[in-house]
């Protein structure tokens, strides 16, 4: 039963993680492949062609895996201590609360964690919703991927942002971190982010969780939010709780208390978890699969698809 649950979940996050690293060319190839098979009324198409945020007050609508976003804000491509990666995907949109959190974190991390700044991966589309490629979640503007590569001390060019690879901090056998790339600053970074009050969960590779279990100090309450998941060896995924006042946002059950370092973690290093059976391709979503309010955020099927423009 546990396996059946995870089989569905793998589609949501494991697959997304495999593609999170894709260069612009690889991303375009995946996009073309998906487009060739999608029905014309697929929600992925309807949300994928929206180029601007839905006007109105910010509101996360639905669940992280089935929803949309009103009143999104864009994370600027450059800030004092951050740079947006893979800009040609145009996925730096999010709930203003998440955007503000990323900006605040980026500013305090050099002093608090010895982390020079954030390389920010996918957040969400301008109106959230399901995406043509990659993620099962990231639909309501409360999820963001952050690279495990420290920000370099210079501004990357648009081409570099679309092409360079992130740093893998997990060993090839997936049993532990790679001591050649993992640093004490990685632990300090994840701890500083996990201590943020609005944070619901952080997804990391199980090997990273294993390292944190070893390296965390006696005050371990923050560890509850660090959740092992497939992939997430090049980036970690932060997820905010539903903002209070977003009445249509559907929260996820909070993670169980405790540091999560016991038996629950051991399972991730079993054969069943390390080498799961291949998942069937993700089924396209229809507007009817999303909360009713999401239908109002997209224009009807049959119009030209918005392909995000060149690197910005
Ligand atoms: Zn993610």
């Amino acid at each position: 039963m546990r396996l059946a649950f995870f089989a569905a979940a793998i589609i949501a996050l494991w697959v997304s993680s495999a593609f999170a690293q894709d260069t612009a060319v690889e991303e375009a190839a995946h996009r073309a492949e998906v487009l060739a098979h999608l029905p014309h009324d697929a929600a992925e198409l309807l949300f994928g062609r929206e180029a601007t945020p839905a006007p109105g007050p910010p509101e996360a609508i639905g669940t992280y895996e089935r929803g949309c976003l009103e009143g999104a804000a864009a994370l600027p491509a450059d800030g004092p201590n951050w740079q947006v990666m893979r800009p040609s995907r145009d996925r730096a949109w999010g709930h203003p609360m998440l955007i503000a959190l990323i900006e605040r974190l980026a500013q305090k991390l050099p002093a608090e964690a010895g982390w020079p700044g954030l390389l920010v991966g996918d957040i969400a589309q301008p109106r959230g919703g399901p995406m043509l490629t990659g993620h099962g979640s990231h639909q309501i503007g409360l999820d963001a991927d952050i690279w495990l590569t420290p920000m370099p001390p210079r501004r990357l060019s648009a081409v570099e942002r679309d092409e360079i690879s992130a740093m893998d901090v997990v060993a090839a056998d997936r049993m532990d971190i790679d001591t050649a790339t993992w640093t004490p600053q990685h632990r300090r970074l994840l701890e500083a982010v996990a201590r943020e009050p609005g944070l619901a969960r952080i997804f990391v590779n199980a090997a990273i969780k294993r390292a944190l279990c070893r390296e965390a100090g006696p005050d371990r309450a923050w560890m509850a939010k660090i959740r092992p998941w497939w992939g997430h060896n090049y980036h970690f995924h932060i997820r905010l709780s539903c903002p209070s006042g977003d009445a249509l946002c559907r929260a996820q059950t909070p993670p169980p208390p405790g540091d999560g370092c016991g038996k629950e973690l051991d399972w991730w290093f079993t054969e069943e978890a390390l080498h799961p059976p291949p998942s069937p391709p993700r089924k396209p979503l229809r507007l009817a699969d999303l909360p009713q309010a999401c239908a109002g955020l997209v224009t009807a099927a049959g119009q030209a698809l918005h392909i995000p423009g060149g690197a910005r």
Side-chain angles (χ1 to χ4, degrees), residues 80-103:
N81 293 321
W82 76 82
Q83 303 188 40
V84 170
M85 302 302 286
R86 303 296 188 253
S88 66
R89 297 186 189 185
D90 194 22
R91 290 177 179 170
W93 299 86
H95 193 290
M97 275 192 56
L98 175 61
I99 302 302
L101 173 81
I102 293 172
E103 295 182 356

Side-chain angles (χ1 to χ4, degrees), residues 13 135 138 145 232 235 237:
L13 273 158
H135 317 272
H138 289 253
D145 291 340
H232 297 85
H235 73 269
H237 173 139

Side-chain angles (χ1 to χ4, degrees), residues 13 16-17 20 122 135 137-138 143-146 203 232 235-238:
L13 273 158
S16 69
S17 210
D122 284 1
H135 317 272
S137 63
H138 289 253
D143 294 286
D145 291 340
I146 310 284
F203 296 103
H232 297 85
H235 73 269
F236 62 102
H237 173 139
I238 63 173

Side-chain angles (χ1 to χ4, degrees), residues 196-214:
E196 278 293 322
L199 242 283
R201 278 174 163 77
I202 299 176
F203 296 103
V204 298
N205 188 275
I208 296 176
K209 175 88 189 190
R210 176 173 263 181
L212 294 175
C213 288
R214 201 165 49 222

Side-chain angles (χ1 to χ4, degrees), residues 288-301:
D289 297 318
L290 304 178
Q292 221 173 5
C294 291
L297 300 196
V298 288
T299 33

